[in-house]
Amino acid sequence: MRLHRLTITAFGPFADIQEVDFDALCAGGIFLLHGATGAGKTSVLDAVCYALYDAVPGARQIKGGATKDASLRSDHADASTYTEVCLELTVGGRRLEITRSPAQTRPKKRGTGVTVEKARSGLREHDPASGDWRALSRSHQEIGEEVGQLLGMSREQFCQVVLLPQGDFARFLRADAEARGRLLGRLFDTRRFAAVEERLAELRRGAEQGVREGDQRLLDIGQRIAGAARGGIEQPLPARQPGDPGLAPAVLEWAAVARSTAHEHRDIAESALAAAESRQAAARRLLDDARELARLQERFAEGRRRADALEARRPEYEAARTRLEGARKADRVAPALTLRDDAERAHRTAAAGLDRARSLLPAELTDTGADHLSALERKMLEELGRVDAARGAERRSAEISRERAELDRQARADEELLADAAGWTTGWEAARRAHQERVETSQEAVTRAEQLAGQLEPARAQLEAARARDALDARAAASQRLLNTARERANDAKETWLDLRERRLRGIAAELAARLVAGEPCAVCGSADHPAPARAGAGQVDQAAEDAAFAASRRAEAAVTEAERDHASVREEYAAARSAAGGSTVAELVALTERLGREHTAAHRLAAGTHAAREALARAEREREDRLTAQRSAENRVAARTSRREALDHEQTGLESDLVRARGDAATVAEHAARLTKRARLLAEAADAVRDFDTTAQRLKDADGRLADAAFRAGFETPREAAAALLSGPEQSGLTHRMDDWQAEAATVADRLAEQDARDAAQAPPARLDTALMSYEGAETALRAASSALTGARERGGELARLSRQAEEEVRRLGPLRTEYARVARLAALTAGTSTDNDRKMRLESYVLAARLEQVAEAATARLLHMSSGRYTLVHSDARSGGKRSGLGLHVVDSWTGSERDTATLSGGETFFVSLALALGLADVVTDEAGGARLDTLFIDEGFGSLDDQTLDEVLDVLDSLRERDRSVGIVSHVADLRRRIPTQLEVTKSRRGSTVALRTGGADG
């Protein structure tokens, strides 16, 4: 992760827009962030953290919604200035821009008062190909997830490894194992190991609960076995508790004893039941004999009673028989009675119909016969035929009236059409001229648009050329500067090479003398004696230095050639663009292009209406022709309509005289015809009613004669006597059934009184049924008691067998549970540090953190050796301290004394550089552990005031060595000596109007 630019607005102590150029600050590797107390040095780091994580470091964050957001806003800022932080950085090979604004209030745009602006976030990415920024998201959650994935660290980890808080690490050095565990747990996120401990503890508790519940179920089964045995076992239930390993064998043994005792009780109950069954069978036989004797005696007595009852009912039987015989004779008269009743009903109906029909006739026709009524009906029908002939004339008269009304409607419509046509024709010439002018205007616009299109494209091309010309002018100037710089560097490199060559030649004797070997000839003079070989003077140059300078000179000349080629290419492009652009400026060409574009758009818009204008003119001309044609047609229809109306008037006059005669005194012919039809129908109905009355009267007379004859032949004096003897079908069936029942009962009673066994039983002594019943009930009670005892014994045996099987199944289920509990309990105790197998009593999380702490100590020692001039080394210790658990000890080894001591014994200055080394080592380990992005920018907050000059130099050397890994370090401090040692500085200045930042190079203090 490398920071590029930070823009702060109305944030913390900063009222106005403040911009921090981290590229300029990080160019030197180390930079100083200084200022007076309270100026806002730490607020710069807060802004970085807020941009990345939408929150400031935990120690400075205020919890709770709007209060937290309000704490970020500057009290010095104007009410209309929004609080905003914008950070540009490169992470994961991507250049991003993050913008954050907290929730804040602003004055309302209308009216008085304030309104609340919601918190906003934005994420953009720079596209190297196009050079543009591309928006990615405006969601707080999406941006947070994206930043978290790219950095690979939470906010707490970032604040610990990027914003190195030295006070926290000093406390870390002096803290106990529990405090170190909490910090390391947050940084390395060992929650999963703590979760494993908790999960194993939960599994242990669950397994233990399962075993206890199984034991409790086994004890419950034992209690149910004791309840089923009902005190038949002398040995009591074993006194065991859940969790006792001997519980299962004891319960199983006790259940076996209970089953054996229950089997013995069942055998005894079976013997007692067999004896009770024998006694009950003997008593049953005696009771059956007594009951049979009592039944026969009662049967004979019942026969005597029924015979007496039959004799008492004999008169009733004789009366029913006589009545039934009379009804059967009357059945022969029944058809004649039915025929006479039908004739009487028909005669009454005909009389009623005759009365209704005569009531509708005039008074003079009340007593008229049927023949006369029929003659009057025929007369009415003849008159009705004459009236029907006049209905055609009436219909024709109605048609003539409707046709005349239609002619009047057509006349009104034609008059309106002629008036509308006359009005429209009056304004036709003006409308035609307007349409023609619109067509001519559109045609002129077409020509104008074509002309402007021909001018617009060259103007645009000239504008592009002018823009390219201006851009190439700047590139040409830049390439000229690069060329001049390359030429200067080439001259300097050549001069350096020539100077080194000359100096080497001056000291060539010493170079040759360095190659002389005693006893071997000189390469120059050939002598084997070398009495005074030349020696190298100050500034002697060797062959390697000269070759390096020569190679640098050649590279510089090649760079000049490349720069000349680039400059020539840019000049050629510039000349071409200048020729194409002419002498106009970009602003002039932009104005010209915009003007031509507007004129072309306007002309094109007018030209687009040419077709519509022509269509409108054609439609108007077609409408004129249609209206003229309609006008002529209407005039012709008016003339024809006048002749037709005269003909209809003449025909209507002829029809009216005939209709007056046909209507009579009625309003219409139809009304007169309806009256005649009604009168004819009434006469016909009256004639029919008279005929029906005469016919039914004759039928009634004939029926009376036939009925009298039938009654006499059946033996009755009068028809009324025959009618009284008649019985309905159900009544005859009832009498027949009663007689049959009496005869059947008489036969049954005679048979029963003739039975010999019943007569013999009647002569025997009375049966002793009560004594036999009492004996049988006693035997039955004894049998039920014996059966109940056996059933109870069998149920207890079955229940005991079932409960024993449940106990055995529960014991089998408990076996794996006990095994699982033993395994899980051992693992839980091992990870929790309470097992005897865990010699150092270390929890699993502490074990993992101890391994991480060991890595941190190794990474920190590499820098601590340099800071302490090789004196101190950090080592991890897993020794136990007092009664506490071990695993997170941290000691420092002093090489001067060879002793190992606790980090809490370090002095103030030693604590600072040891904690600084620890922080840098922790930053490396946490970054590697989290799999996060490479951290190219670190900040160290305070603590340098406790160092002496030599130690400060060594610490700065270590920090400066981070540049070898292309990393930069920002030191946040107000120590004045650091301003002299660190030339690149970001100064924060406070005032009444808010703090400001300024970039300083070269040091502020001498």
Side-chain angles (χ1 to χ4, degrees):
M1 180 196 72
R2 179 177 295 279
L3 306 181
H4 298 295
R5 178 178 53 83
L6 175 67
T7 304
I8 308 172
T9 305
F11 181 87
F14 305 106
D16 301 323
I17 299 176
Q18 303 295 320
E19 185 169 335
V20 180
D21 187 355
F22 282 109
D23 288 334
L25 287 173
C26 297
I30 301 178
F31 63 90
L32 177 66
L33 178 59
H34 71 92
T37 301
K41 301 186 296 296
T42 307
S43 295
V44 175
L45 308 185
D46 291 347
V48 173
C49 184
Y50 176 68
L52 292 174
Y53 293 98
D54 195 22
V56 297
R60 295 183 290 278
Q61 181 167 346
I62 299 177
K63 305 292 184 183
T67 304
K68 179 197 74 170
D69 294 336
S71 67
L72 303 178
R73 180 167 175 77
S74 175
D75 296 332
H76 302 282
D78 184 75
S80 60
T81 302
Y82 288 173
T83 299
E84 184 178 87
V85 174
C86 180
L87 177 65
E88 184 179 336
L89 73 160
T90 296
V91 58
R94 301 166 61 186
R95 186 153 184 160
L96 304 175
E97 181 189 77
I98 307 173
T99 304
R100 303 274 193 184
S101 294
Q104 51 196 299
T105 59
R106 64 164 177 81
K108 292 184 176 179
K109 297 180 179 179
R110 295 181 181 179
T112 60
V114 296
T115 185
V116 178
E117 289 284 347
K118 294 182 179 180
R120 299 191 302 271
S121 297
L123 178 64
R124 300 196 303 167
E125 183 175 4
H126 184 263
D127 187 357
S130 63
D132 298 329
W133 287 91
R134 177 169 55 91
L136 297 181
S137 177
R138 292 183 177 275
S139 168
H140 301 292
Q141 183 177 358
E142 291 180 357
I143 296 173
E145 292 176 355
E146 184 73 14
V147 171
Q149 291 178 0
L150 290 173
L151 292 178
M153 290 183 289
S154 64
R155 177 171 60 89
E156 291 76 9
Q157 290 176 320
F158 177 83
C159 295
Q160 201 73 40
V161 302
V162 178
L163 313 178
L164 303 179
Q166 294 309 301
D168 288 354
F169 282 97
R171 287 190 294 272
F172 180 80
L173 288 174
R174 297 187 177 94
D176 57 11
E178 294 295 333
R180 285 177 184 156
R182 288 193 295 271
L183 175 62
L184 293 174
R186 290 196 305 270
L187 293 179
F188 292 105
D189 192 14
T190 56
R191 289 174 295 180
R192 59 187 183 278
F193 300 104
V196 170
E197 297 178 23
E198 181 61 27
R199 179 58 179 163
L200 288 174
E202 291 178 0
L203 291 176
R204 178 188 59 78
R205 290 191 295 270
E208 182 180 6
Q209 182 65 23
V211 171
R212 287 186 172 275
E213 290 176 354
D215 286 348
Q216 186 61 50
R217 287 194 299 271
L218 190 58
L219 280 175
D220 293 342
I221 293 172
Q223 295 292 343
R224 290 200 296 273
I225 291 174
R230 294 186 180 92
I233 306 175
E234 297 179 359
Q235 182 182 356
L237 182 67
R240 302 281 185 173
Q241 297 297 326
D244 189 346
L247 174 64
V251 171
L252 292 179
E253 181 180 355
W254 189 82
V257 174
R259 290 198 307 275
S260 177
T261 304
H263 290 163
E264 295 178 359
H265 291 172
R266 184 193 63 191
D267 294 341
I268 295 172
E270 288 177 350
S271 299
L273 177 63
E277 287 176 346
S278 299
R279 290 192 296 272
Q280 187 263 354
R284 178 73 182 182
R285 286 191 296 273
L286 293 176
L287 177 62
D288 290 343
D289 294 342
R291 283 178 174 173
E292 180 62 18
L293 179 60
R295 184 184 68 81
L296 292 174
Q297 291 176 347
E298 178 63 24
R299 183 178 179 84
F300 186 79
E302 178 66 18
R304 298 299 304 171
R305 288 193 297 272
R306 290 170 64 182
D308 296 340
L310 281 174
E311 192 62 27
R313 288 169 52 198
R314 183 176 292 278
E316 180 183 352
Y317 165 74
E318 294 297 337
R321 184 172 59 80
T322 302
R323 187 180 179 191
L324 183 59
E325 290 176 354
R328 288 172 178 172
K329 289 193 300 181
D331 287 342
R332 295 195 294 271
V333 187
L337 285 171
T338 301
L339 181 61
R340 197 269 176 192
D341 291 339
D342 294 341
E344 185 178 7
R345 283 194 298 273
H347 184 62
R348 285 197 298 271
T349 302
L354 179 60
D355 292 340
R356 286 195 301 273
R358 286 178 172 175
S359 66
L360 298 175
L361 294 176
E364 64 272 12
L365 300 178
T366 302
D367 296 328
T368 305
D371 295 337
H372 182 62
L373 292 173
S374 297
L376 292 175
E377 178 192 2
R378 288 193 296 273
K379 183 177 179 181
M380 290 292 178
L381 292 175
E382 291 174 358
E383 186 178 355
L384 181 62
R386 290 190 296 271
V387 172
D388 287 341
R391 287 185 177 182
E394 187 179 39
R395 288 194 295 271
R396 177 56 185 162
S397 178
E399 290 175 357
I400 291 172
S401 299
R402 289 193 295 272
E403 186 174 356
R404 292 180 64 182
E406 177 63 19
L407 290 175
D408 293 340
R409 186 192 63 77
Q410 294 176 0
R412 290 192 297 272
D414 287 340
E415 289 174 359
E416 293 176 358
L417 188 148
L418 290 172
D420 181 62
W424 191 88
T425 305
T426 302
W428 160 246
E429 290 299 328
R432 183 176 60 81
R433 285 194 300 273
H435 285 301
Q436 289 177 346
E437 290 175 0
R438 183 181 172 190
V439 172
E440 293 171 358
T441 302
S442 300
Q443 290 175 345
E444 292 175 358
V446 172
T447 305
R448 176 62 177 164
E450 293 175 353
Q451 294 174 353
L452 290 173
Q455 297 174 10
L456 184 59
E457 289 303 323
R460 288 175 176 170
Q462 189 177 3
L463 174 60
E464 293 299 324
R467 288 173 174 167
R469 176 198 64 195
D470 294 348
L472 290 169
D473 189 14
R475 286 180 55 193
S479 64
Q480 183 64 54
R481 289 193 296 272
L482 291 176
L483 177 59
N484 295 338
T485 301
R487 286 172 176 171
E488 291 175 0
R489 290 177 178 173
N491 293 333
D492 293 342
K494 188 172 184 181
E495 290 177 2
T496 300
W497 170 58
L498 293 175
D499 179 63
L500 290 175
R501 181 181 181 188
E502 183 179 355
R503 288 166 57 190
R504 178 170 175 265
L505 292 175
R506 287 199 300 267
I508 195 66
E511 183 178 340
L512 294 174
R515 302 176 183 174
L516 293 176
V517 179
E520 294 184 1
C522 176
V524 177
C525 64
S527 174
D529 188 14
H530 316 298
R535 300 189 179 276
Q540 177 66 37
V541 178
D542 56 5
Q543 180 69 38
E546 180 185 355
D547 293 342
F550 178 71
S553 176
R554 295 295 298 272
R555 286 194 299 273
E557 290 177 356
V560 170
T561 302
E562 181 67 21
E564 289 175 346
R565 184 165 53 253
D566 292 344
H567 182 62
S569 175
V570 172
R571 293 297 299 176
E572 289 176 1
E573 293 179 7
Y574 172 73
R578 182 177 181 183
S579 175
S584 301
T585 65
V586 172
E588 293 172 348
L589 292 173
V590 168
L592 174 62
T593 304
E594 292 178 350
R595 179 179 61 79
L596 291 175
R598 289 193 300 271
E599 293 178 357
H600 177 265
T601 302
H604 185 72
R605 187 181 302 110
L606 287 175
T610 302
H611 179 72
R614 289 176 177 172
E615 286 292 327
L617 178 59
R619 284 195 302 272
E621 291 177 346
R622 288 194 299 272
E623 184 179 1
R624 177 175 176 272
E625 292 298 328
D626 294 342
R627 287 180 178 272
L628 290 176
T629 302
Q631 184 179 9
R632 289 192 292 269
S633 299
E635 292 172 350
N636 294 334
R637 288 193 300 273
V638 169
R641 195 179 298 111
T642 302
S643 299
R644 179 59 179 167
R645 184 180 289 108
E646 293 175 354
L648 292 175
D649 291 343
H650 179 72
E651 185 180 0
Q652 183 73 27
T653 301
L655 292 173
E656 191 61 31
S657 59
D658 297 337
L659 290 176
V660 170
R661 291 191 300 271
R663 283 196 297 266
D665 58 350
T668 63
V669 175
E671 182 180 349
H672 185 56
R675 290 179 181 177
L676 293 176
T677 302
K678 181 178 180 182
R679 290 174 183 174
R681 178 175 55 78
L682 292 177
L683 290 171
E685 290 176 354
D688 292 339
V690 171
R691 294 188 186 96
D692 289 343
F693 179 78
D694 295 341
T695 301
T696 55
Q698 184 62 39
R699 285 177 56 195
L700 179 59
K701 183 179 179 181
D702 294 341
D704 285 337
R706 294 175 64 181
L707 176 61
D709 185 57
F712 178 76
R713 286 196 301 269
F716 294 101
E717 295 294 334
T718 62
R720 185 179 300 277
E721 183 181 350
L726 281 175
L727 292 177
S728 63
E731 289 177 335
Q732 289 190 24
S733 297
L735 289 175
T736 302
H737 290 160
R738 285 165 60 188
M739 292 175 64
D740 292 342
D741 291 342
W742 191 92
Q743 293 172 356
E745 178 71 6
T748 302
V749 169
D751 292 341
R752 181 168 297 180
L753 292 177
E755 291 177 355
Q756 186 62 39
D757 55 352
R759 290 181 178 183
D760 296 340
Q763 297 174 2
R768 300 300 300 272
L769 184 61
D770 52 351
T771 303
L773 182 60
M774 291 177 60
S775 176
Y776 173 75
E777 288 177 351
E780 184 70 20
T781 301
L783 177 61
R784 285 198 297 270
S787 178
S788 298
L790 177 59
T791 302
R794 287 174 177 172
E795 289 178 352
R796 284 193 295 275
E799 181 67 11
L800 289 173
R802 185 182 64 81
L803 291 174
S804 297
R805 288 193 298 272
Q806 288 185 4
E808 293 172 357
E809 292 173 359
E810 192 62 42
V811 169
R812 284 195 296 272
R813 283 197 297 268
L814 274 174
L817 287 178
R818 292 186 184 278
T819 304
E820 178 67 14
Y821 169 66
R823 184 177 64 86
V824 172
R826 180 175 175 275
L827 286 175
L830 185 63
T831 56
T834 59
S835 173
T836 55
D837 297 333
N838 192 337
D839 296 335
R840 298 187 180 277
K841 304 301 180 184
M842 292 178 65
R843 293 172 49 238
L844 177 61
E845 185 180 14
S846 300
Y847 177 78
V848 175
L849 291 176
R852 297 293 183 266
L853 183 59
E854 187 173 2
Q855 295 174 355
V856 171
E858 292 176 358
T861 296
R863 296 186 175 90
L864 180 58
L865 287 171
H866 190 107
M867 293 181 184
S868 62
S869 300
R871 179 179 179 182
Y872 292 122
T873 301
L874 272 177
V875 294
H876 161 255
S877 174
D878 56 4
R880 298 181 64 183
S881 176
K884 299 181 179 179
R885 298 175 182 174
S886 60
L888 297 178
L890 194 62
H891 292 172
V892 62
V893 178
D894 190 345
S895 63
W896 289 3
T897 62
S899 61
E900 178 178 326
R901 54 193 172 97
D902 194 273
T903 52
T905 61
L906 295 172
S907 65
E910 290 172 339
T911 299
F912 169 71
F913 65 72
V914 171
S915 63
L916 177 59
L918 183 66
L920 294 174
L922 184 62
D924 293 339
V925 174
V926 169
T927 303
D928 295 339
E929 168 68 17
R934 170 185 168 84
L935 302 178
D936 298 322
T937 307
L938 301 176
F939 295 92
I940 302 175
D941 192 357
E942 291 297 346
F944 289 87
S946 60
L947 303 179
D948 55 46
D949 291 344
Q950 180 180 355
T951 305
L952 181 60
D953 289 338
E954 292 172 348
V955 169
L956 292 179
D957 287 343
V958 170
L959 296 179
D960 189 58
S961 67
L962 295 176
R963 287 188 296 177
E964 298 175 1
R965 301 174 62 182
D966 195 22
R967 300 169 76 179
S968 56
V969 179
I971 298 175
V972 183
S973 178
H974 57 270
V975 177
D977 192 38
L978 290 175
R979 303 180 201 173
R980 175 180 58 80
R981 296 171 180 267
I982 302 176
T984 305
Q985 303 172 10
L986 181 67
E987 182 179 8
V988 184
T989 305
K990 65 180 179 180
S991 67
R992 291 181 178 272
R993 293 185 297 275
S995 299
T996 57
V997 298
L999 178 65
R1000 302 278 189 264
T1001 57
D1005 298 339

